[in-house]
PDB file of all heavy atoms in Angstrom:
ATOM      1  N   ALA A 892       9.291  10.615 -33.137  1.00 78.00           N
ATOM      2  CA  ALA A 892       8.614   9.756 -34.180  1.00 78.00           C
ATOM      3  C   ALA A 892       9.194   8.341 -34.083  1.00 78.00           C
ATOM      4  O   ALA A 892       8.542   7.307 -34.318  1.00 78.00           O
ATOM      5  CB  ALA A 892       8.905  10.293 -35.590  1.00 78.00           C
ATOM      6  N   SER A 893      10.425   8.259 -33.614  1.00 75.00           N
ATOM      7  CA  SER A 893      11.106   6.913 -33.357  1.00 75.00           C
ATOM      8  C   SER A 893      11.892   7.018 -32.099  1.00 75.00           C
ATOM      9  O   SER A 893      12.861   7.813 -32.035  1.00 75.00           O
ATOM     10  CB  SER A 893      11.981   6.512 -34.541  1.00 75.00           C
ATOM     11  OG  SER A 893      12.786   5.364 -34.209  1.00 75.00           O
ATOM     12  N   ALA A 894      11.597   6.204 -31.138  1.00 67.00           N
ATOM     13  CA  ALA A 894      12.273   6.308 -29.867  1.00 67.00           C
ATOM     14  C   ALA A 894      13.721   5.818 -29.987  1.00 67.00           C
ATOM     15  O   ALA A 894      14.489   6.099 -29.080  1.00 67.00           O
ATOM     16  CB  ALA A 894      11.517   5.438 -28.798  1.00 67.00           C
ATOM     17  N   SER A 895      14.084   5.112 -31.029  1.00 77.00           N
ATOM     18  CA  SER A 895      15.438   4.685 -31.203  1.00 77.00           C
ATOM     19  C   SER A 895      16.308   5.666 -31.962  1.00 77.00           C
ATOM     20  O   SER A 895      17.454   5.314 -32.332  1.00 77.00           O
ATOM     21  CB  SER A 895      15.423   3.315 -31.915  1.00 77.00           C
ATOM     22  OG  SER A 895      14.840   3.388 -33.166  1.00 77.00           O
ATOM     23  N   ASP A 896      15.750   6.866 -32.280  1.00 86.00           N
ATOM     24  CA  ASP A 896      16.482   7.874 -33.017  1.00 86.00           C
ATOM     25  C   ASP A 896      17.753   8.250 -32.240  1.00 86.00           C
ATOM     26  O   ASP A 896      17.706   8.720 -31.114  1.00 86.00           O
ATOM     27  CB  ASP A 896      15.651   9.055 -33.262  1.00 86.00           C
ATOM     28  CG  ASP A 896      16.356  10.194 -33.989  1.00 86.00           C
ATOM     29  OD1 ASP A 896      16.776   9.985 -35.110  1.00 86.00           O
ATOM     30  OD2 ASP A 896      16.615  11.254 -33.310  1.00 86.00           O
ATOM     31  N   PRO A 897      18.953   8.175 -32.846  1.00 90.00           N
ATOM     32  CA  PRO A 897      20.248   8.417 -32.137  1.00 90.00           C
ATOM     33  C   PRO A 897      20.298   9.874 -31.552  1.00 90.00           C
ATOM     34  O   PRO A 897      20.787  10.077 -30.438  1.00 90.00           O
ATOM     35  CB  PRO A 897      21.310   8.204 -33.203  1.00 90.00           C
ATOM     36  CG  PRO A 897      20.698   7.243 -34.124  1.00 90.00           C
ATOM     37  CD  PRO A 897      19.196   7.691 -34.208  1.00 90.00           C
ATOM     38  N   ALA A 898      19.805  10.844 -32.311  1.00 91.00           N
ATOM     39  CA  ALA A 898      19.900  12.202 -31.847  1.00 91.00           C
ATOM     40  C   ALA A 898      18.940  12.421 -30.597  1.00 91.00           C
ATOM     41  O   ALA A 898      19.372  13.105 -29.643  1.00 91.00           O
ATOM     42  CB  ALA A 898      19.473  13.185 -32.914  1.00 91.00           C
ATOM     43  N   TYR A 899      17.826  11.777 -30.649  1.00 92.00           N
ATOM     44  CA  TYR A 899      16.896  11.859 -29.490  1.00 92.00           C
ATOM     45  C   TYR A 899      17.484  11.131 -28.249  1.00 92.00           C
ATOM     46  O   TYR A 899      17.422  11.714 -27.143  1.00 92.00           O
ATOM     47  CB  TYR A 899      15.556  11.206 -29.888  1.00 92.00           C
ATOM     48  CG  TYR A 899      14.538  11.198 -28.771  1.00 92.00           C
ATOM     49  CD1 TYR A 899      13.803  12.312 -28.443  1.00 92.00           C
ATOM     50  CD2 TYR A 899      14.306  10.050 -28.066  1.00 92.00           C
ATOM     51  CE1 TYR A 899      12.873  12.368 -27.432  1.00 92.00           C
ATOM     52  CE2 TYR A 899      13.346  10.084 -26.974  1.00 92.00           C
ATOM     53  CZ  TYR A 899      12.673  11.207 -26.761  1.00 92.00           C
ATOM     54  OH  TYR A 899      11.707  11.245 -25.739  1.00 92.00           O
ATOM     55  N   ILE A 900      18.187   9.998 -28.444  1.00 93.00           N
ATOM     56  CA  ILE A 900      18.742   9.291 -27.343  1.00 93.00           C
ATOM     57  C   ILE A 900      19.888  10.106 -26.735  1.00 93.00           C
ATOM     58  O   ILE A 900      20.078  10.220 -25.502  1.00 93.00           O
ATOM     59  CB  ILE A 900      19.270   7.940 -27.795  1.00 93.00           C
ATOM     60  CG1 ILE A 900      18.031   7.066 -28.217  1.00 93.00           C
ATOM     61  CG2 ILE A 900      20.102   7.255 -26.732  1.00 93.00           C
ATOM     62  CD1 ILE A 900      18.447   5.714 -28.833  1.00 93.00           C
ATOM     63  N   ALA A 901      20.679  10.760 -27.645  1.00 94.00           N
ATOM     64  CA  ALA A 901      21.785  11.593 -27.153  1.00 94.00           C
ATOM     65  C   ALA A 901      21.250  12.839 -26.335  1.00 94.00           C
ATOM     66  O   ALA A 901      21.801  13.133 -25.311  1.00 94.00           O
ATOM     67  CB  ALA A 901      22.639  12.110 -28.335  1.00 94.00           C
ATOM     68  N   GLN A 902      20.197  13.455 -26.884  1.00 95.00           N
ATOM     69  CA  GLN A 902      19.598  14.562 -26.061  1.00 95.00           C
ATOM     70  C   GLN A 902      19.075  14.047 -24.693  1.00 95.00           C
ATOM     71  O   GLN A 902      19.277  14.736 -23.674  1.00 95.00           O
ATOM     72  CB  GLN A 902      18.409  15.170 -26.872  1.00 95.00           C
ATOM     73  CG  GLN A 902      18.822  16.023 -28.021  1.00 95.00           C
ATOM     74  CD  GLN A 902      17.546  16.495 -28.747  1.00 95.00           C
ATOM     75  OE1 GLN A 902      16.804  15.739 -29.374  1.00 95.00           O
ATOM     76  NE2 GLN A 902      17.364  17.830 -28.625  1.00 95.00           N
ATOM     77  N   SER A 903      18.422  12.972 -24.702  1.00 95.00           N
ATOM     78  CA  SER A 903      17.903  12.355 -23.495  1.00 95.00           C
ATOM     79  C   SER A 903      19.003  12.081 -22.425  1.00 95.00           C
ATOM     80  O   SER A 903      18.890  12.332 -21.224  1.00 95.00           O
ATOM     81  CB  SER A 903      17.110  11.054 -23.730  1.00 95.00           C
ATOM     82  OG  SER A 903      16.020  11.325 -24.584  1.00 95.00           O
ATOM     83  N   ALA A 904      20.118  11.543 -22.962  1.00 96.00           N
ATOM     84  CA  ALA A 904      21.210  11.187 -22.094  1.00 96.00           C
ATOM     85  C   ALA A 904      21.902  12.464 -21.476  1.00 96.00           C
ATOM     86  O   ALA A 904      22.253  12.408 -20.282  1.00 96.00           O
ATOM     87  CB  ALA A 904      22.333  10.398 -22.938  1.00 96.00           C
ATOM     88  N   THR A 905      21.930  13.538 -22.233  1.00 97.00           N
ATOM     89  CA  THR A 905      22.403  14.780 -21.743  1.00 97.00           C
ATOM     90  C   THR A 905      21.510  15.261 -20.617  1.00 97.00           C
ATOM     91  O   THR A 905      22.044  15.789 -19.561  1.00 97.00           O
ATOM     92  CB  THR A 905      22.545  15.752 -22.837  1.00 97.00           C
ATOM     93  OG1 THR A 905      23.403  15.302 -23.836  1.00 97.00           O
ATOM     94  CG2 THR A 905      22.996  17.114 -22.333  1.00 97.00           C
ATOM     95  N   LEU A 906      20.174  15.241 -20.822  1.00 97.00           N
ATOM     96  CA  LEU A 906      19.224  15.649 -19.750  1.00 97.00           C
ATOM     97  C   LEU A 906      19.480  14.869 -18.450  1.00 97.00           C
ATOM     98  O   LEU A 906      19.484  15.447 -17.361  1.00 97.00           O
ATOM     99  CB  LEU A 906      17.836  15.513 -20.204  1.00 97.00           C
ATOM    100  CG  LEU A 906      17.336  16.457 -21.340  1.00 97.00           C
ATOM    101  CD1 LEU A 906      15.917  16.083 -21.774  1.00 97.00           C
ATOM    102  CD2 LEU A 906      17.360  17.926 -20.843  1.00 97.00           C
ATOM    103  N   ARG A 907      19.710  13.525 -18.647  1.00 97.00           N
ATOM    104  CA  ARG A 907      19.914  12.742 -17.419  1.00 97.00           C
ATOM    105  C   ARG A 907      21.247  13.062 -16.801  1.00 97.00           C
ATOM    106  O   ARG A 907      21.327  13.186 -15.578  1.00 97.00           O
ATOM    107  CB  ARG A 907      19.857  11.256 -17.832  1.00 97.00           C
ATOM    108  CG  ARG A 907      20.029  10.357 -16.654  1.00 97.00           C
ATOM    109  CD  ARG A 907      20.023   8.814 -17.099  1.00 97.00           C
ATOM    110  NE  ARG A 907      18.734   8.471 -17.749  1.00 97.00           N
ATOM    111  CZ  ARG A 907      18.361   7.171 -17.847  1.00 97.00           C
ATOM    112  NH1 ARG A 907      19.118   6.195 -17.388  1.00 97.00           N
ATOM    113  NH2 ARG A 907      17.182   6.895 -18.430  1.00 97.00           N
ATOM    114  N   ASP A 908      22.301  13.080 -17.557  1.00 97.00           N
ATOM    115  CA  ASP A 908      23.681  13.287 -16.990  1.00 97.00           C
ATOM    116  C   ASP A 908      23.786  14.618 -16.310  1.00 97.00           C
ATOM    117  O   ASP A 908      24.552  14.763 -15.290  1.00 97.00           O
ATOM    118  CB  ASP A 908      24.707  13.146 -18.085  1.00 97.00           C
ATOM    119  CG  ASP A 908      24.786  11.743 -18.699  1.00 97.00           C
ATOM    120  OD1 ASP A 908      24.224  10.817 -18.053  1.00 97.00           O
ATOM    121  OD2 ASP A 908      25.341  11.546 -19.790  1.00 97.00           O
ATOM    122  N   THR A 909      23.184  15.709 -16.882  1.00 97.00           N
ATOM    123  CA  THR A 909      23.303  16.969 -16.275  1.00 97.00           C
ATOM    124  C   THR A 909      22.306  17.261 -15.123  1.00 97.00           C
ATOM    125  O   THR A 909      22.315  18.371 -14.578  1.00 97.00           O
ATOM    126  CB  THR A 909      23.153  18.050 -17.392  1.00 97.00           C
ATOM    127  OG1 THR A 909      21.865  17.967 -18.000  1.00 97.00           O
ATOM    128  CG2 THR A 909      24.314  17.923 -18.436  1.00 97.00           C
ATOM    129  N   LYS A 910      21.463  16.307 -14.878  1.00 97.00           N
ATOM    130  CA  LYS A 910      20.360  16.476 -13.866  1.00 97.00           C
ATOM    131  C   LYS A 910      19.498  17.634 -14.243  1.00 97.00           C
ATOM    132  O   LYS A 910      18.951  18.214 -13.323  1.00 97.00           O
ATOM    133  CB  LYS A 910      20.956  16.582 -12.466  1.00 97.00           C
ATOM    134  CG  LYS A 910      21.779  15.305 -12.025  1.00 97.00           C
ATOM    135  CD  LYS A 910      22.161  15.454 -10.574  1.00 97.00           C
ATOM    136  CE  LYS A 910      22.846  14.263 -10.067  1.00 97.00           C
ATOM    137  NZ  LYS A 910      24.133  13.907 -10.772  1.00 97.00           N
ATOM    138  N   ALA A 911      19.280  17.855 -15.499  1.00 97.00           N
ATOM    139  CA  ALA A 911      18.323  18.929 -15.928  1.00 97.00           C
ATOM    140  C   ALA A 911      16.836  18.403 -15.689  1.00 97.00           C
ATOM    141  O   ALA A 911      15.936  19.168 -15.703  1.00 97.00           O
ATOM    142  CB  ALA A 911      18.551  19.201 -17.387  1.00 97.00           C
ATOM    143  N   VAL A 912      16.758  17.115 -15.535  1.00 98.00           N
ATOM    144  CA  VAL A 912      15.484  16.408 -15.225  1.00 98.00           C
ATOM    145  C   VAL A 912      15.663  15.837 -13.857  1.00 98.00           C
ATOM    146  O   VAL A 912      16.743  15.354 -13.445  1.00 98.00           O
ATOM    147  CB  VAL A 912      15.150  15.270 -16.230  1.00 98.00           C
ATOM    148  CG1 VAL A 912      13.888  14.519 -15.810  1.00 98.00           C
ATOM    149  CG2 VAL A 912      15.015  15.863 -17.606  1.00 98.00           C
ATOM    150  N   ASP A 913      14.554  15.909 -13.002  1.00 98.00           N
ATOM    151  CA  ASP A 913      14.679  15.338 -11.699  1.00 98.00           C
ATOM    152  C   ASP A 913      15.178  13.867 -11.773  1.00 98.00           C
ATOM    153  O   ASP A 913      14.551  13.042 -12.458  1.00 98.00           O
ATOM    154  CB  ASP A 913      13.270  15.331 -11.063  1.00 98.00           C
ATOM    155  CG  ASP A 913      13.228  14.978  -9.572  1.00 98.00           C
ATOM    156  OD1 ASP A 913      14.009  14.110  -9.170  1.00 98.00           O
ATOM    157  OD2 ASP A 913      12.424  15.581  -8.854  1.00 98.00           O
ATOM    158  N   PRO A 914      16.233  13.512 -11.090  1.00 98.00           N
ATOM    159  CA  PRO A 914      16.808  12.151 -11.188  1.00 98.00           C
ATOM    160  C   PRO A 914      15.815  11.077 -10.766  1.00 98.00           C
ATOM    161  O   PRO A 914      16.009   9.877 -11.189  1.00 98.00           O
ATOM    162  CB  PRO A 914      17.969  12.245 -10.264  1.00 98.00           C
ATOM    163  CG  PRO A 914      18.402  13.656 -10.231  1.00 98.00           C
ATOM    164  CD  PRO A 914      17.095  14.434 -10.253  1.00 98.00           C
ATOM    165  N   ARG A 915      14.797  11.418 -10.017  1.00 98.00           N
ATOM    166  CA  ARG A 915      13.887  10.369  -9.546  1.00 98.00           C
ATOM    167  C   ARG A 915      13.054   9.793 -10.719  1.00 98.00           C
ATOM    168  O   ARG A 915      12.382   8.774 -10.618  1.00 98.00           O
ATOM    169  CB  ARG A 915      12.980  10.946  -8.496  1.00 98.00           C
ATOM    170  CG  ARG A 915      13.835  11.003  -7.159  1.00 98.00           C
ATOM    171  CD  ARG A 915      13.145  11.832  -6.098  1.00 98.00           C
ATOM    172  NE  ARG A 915      13.037  13.276  -6.435  1.00 98.00           N
ATOM    173  CZ  ARG A 915      12.747  14.207  -5.561  1.00 98.00           C
ATOM    174  NH1 ARG A 915      12.640  13.938  -4.262  1.00 98.00           N
ATOM    175  NH2 ARG A 915      12.715  15.493  -5.943  1.00 98.00           N
ATOM    176  N   LEU A 916      12.963  10.568 -11.866  1.00 98.00           N
ATOM    177  CA  LEU A 916      12.272  10.007 -13.037  1.00 98.00           C
ATOM    178  C   LEU A 916      12.944   8.660 -13.397  1.00 98.00           C
ATOM    179  O   LEU A 916      12.243   7.713 -13.770  1.00 98.00           O
ATOM    180  CB  LEU A 916      12.399  11.018 -14.159  1.00 98.00           C
ATOM    181  CG  LEU A 916      11.962  10.498 -15.585  1.00 98.00           C
ATOM    182  CD1 LEU A 916      10.444  10.127 -15.500  1.00 98.00           C
ATOM    183  CD2 LEU A 916      12.238  11.519 -16.683  1.00 98.00           C
ATOM    184  N   TYR A 917      14.263   8.548 -13.304  1.00 98.00           N
ATOM    185  CA  TYR A 917      15.060   7.395 -13.745  1.00 98.00           C
ATOM    186  C   TYR A 917      15.092   6.352 -12.665  1.00 98.00           C
ATOM    187  O   TYR A 917      15.438   5.187 -12.915  1.00 98.00           O
ATOM    188  CB  TYR A 917      16.411   7.847 -14.210  1.00 98.00           C
ATOM    189  CG  TYR A 917      16.296   8.974 -15.186  1.00 98.00           C
ATOM    190  CD1 TYR A 917      16.701  10.262 -14.815  1.00 98.00           C
ATOM    191  CD2 TYR A 917      15.790   8.733 -16.510  1.00 98.00           C
ATOM    192  CE1 TYR A 917      16.565  11.373 -15.747  1.00 98.00           C
ATOM    193  CE2 TYR A 917      15.719   9.806 -17.375  1.00 98.00           C
ATOM    194  CZ  TYR A 917      16.082  11.097 -16.982  1.00 98.00           C
ATOM    195  OH  TYR A 917      15.973  12.105 -17.957  1.00 98.00           O
ATOM    196  N   VAL A 918      14.738   6.731 -11.376  1.00 98.00           N
ATOM    197  CA  VAL A 918      14.607   5.720 -10.345  1.00 98.00           C
ATOM    198  C   VAL A 918      13.281   5.039 -10.493  1.00 98.00           C
ATOM    199  O   VAL A 918      13.170   3.835 -10.217  1.00 98.00           O
ATOM    200  CB  VAL A 918      14.699   6.449  -8.966  1.00 98.00           C
ATOM    201  CG1 VAL A 918      14.331   5.425  -7.832  1.00 98.00           C
ATOM    202  CG2 VAL A 918      16.056   7.100  -8.702  1.00 98.00           C
ATOM    203  N   SER A 919      12.291   5.735 -11.016  1.00 98.00           N
ATOM    204  CA  SER A 919      10.938   5.278 -11.045  1.00 98.00           C
ATOM    205  C   SER A 919      10.489   4.631 -12.347  1.00 98.00           C
ATOM    206  O   SER A 919       9.635   3.783 -12.406  1.00 98.00           O
ATOM    207  CB  SER A 919       9.943   6.428 -10.732  1.00 98.00           C
ATOM    208  OG  SER A 919      10.234   7.005  -9.531  1.00 98.00           O
ATOM    209  N   THR A 920      11.177   5.042 -13.509  1.00 98.00           N
ATOM    210  CA  THR A 920      10.761   4.639 -14.789  1.00 98.00           C
ATOM    211  C   THR A 920      11.972   4.236 -15.643  1.00 98.00           C
ATOM    212  O   THR A 920      13.120   4.545 -15.330  1.00 98.00           O
ATOM    213  CB  THR A 920       9.971   5.737 -15.480  1.00 98.00           C
ATOM    214  OG1 THR A 920      10.785   6.852 -15.748  1.00 98.00           O
ATOM    215  CG2 THR A 920       8.739   6.189 -14.657  1.00 98.00           C
ATOM    216  N   LEU A 921      11.669   3.610 -16.787  1.00 96.00           N
ATOM    217  CA  LEU A 921      12.676   3.194 -17.697  1.00 96.00           C
ATOM    218  C   LEU A 921      12.423   3.805 -19.106  1.00 96.00           C
ATOM    219  O   LEU A 921      11.318   3.739 -19.633  1.00 96.00           O
ATOM    220  CB  LEU A 921      12.631   1.637 -17.889  1.00 96.00           C
ATOM    221  CG  LEU A 921      12.918   0.824 -16.638  1.00 96.00           C
ATOM    222  CD1 LEU A 921      12.400  -0.610 -16.753  1.00 96.00           C
ATOM    223  CD2 LEU A 921      14.330   0.773 -16.287  1.00 96.00           C
ATOM    224  N   GLN A 922      13.493   4.495 -19.635  1.00 95.00           N
ATOM    225  CA  GLN A 922      13.319   5.149 -20.904  1.00 95.00           C
ATOM    226  C   GLN A 922      13.716   4.272 -22.102  1.00 95.00           C
ATOM    227  O   GLN A 922      14.760   3.636 -21.985  1.00 95.00           O
ATOM    228  CB  GLN A 922      14.170   6.466 -20.927  1.00 95.00           C
ATOM    229  CG  GLN A 922      13.973   7.239 -22.223  1.00 95.00           C
ATOM    230  CD  GLN A 922      14.675   8.554 -22.225  1.00 95.00           C
ATOM    231  OE1 GLN A 922      15.301   8.943 -21.266  1.00 95.00           O
ATOM    232  NE2 GLN A 922      14.619   9.278 -23.364  1.00 95.00           N
ATOM    233  N   PRO A 923      12.887   4.205 -23.075  1.00 93.00           N
ATOM    234  CA  PRO A 923      13.199   3.369 -24.206  1.00 93.00           C
ATOM    235  C   PRO A 923      14.556   3.672 -24.810  1.00 93.00           C
ATOM    236  O   PRO A 923      14.905   4.817 -24.976  1.00 93.00           O
ATOM    237  CB  PRO A 923      12.137   3.687 -25.273  1.00 93.00           C
ATOM    238  CG  PRO A 923      10.969   4.131 -24.397  1.00 93.00           C
ATOM    239  CD  PRO A 923      11.570   4.853 -23.227  1.00 93.00           C
TER     240      PRO A 923
END
Side-chain angles (χ1 to χ4, degrees):
S893 170
S895 59
D896 177 66
Y899 179 79
I900 294 172
Q902 287 179 290
S903 297
T905 298
L906 290 175
R907 181 182 299 198
D908 293 343
T909 61
K910 297 184 175 64
V912 175
D913 190 323
R915 287 168 291 198
L916 172 61
Y917 309 106
V918 174
S919 304
T920 65
L921 299 162
Q922 183 175 357

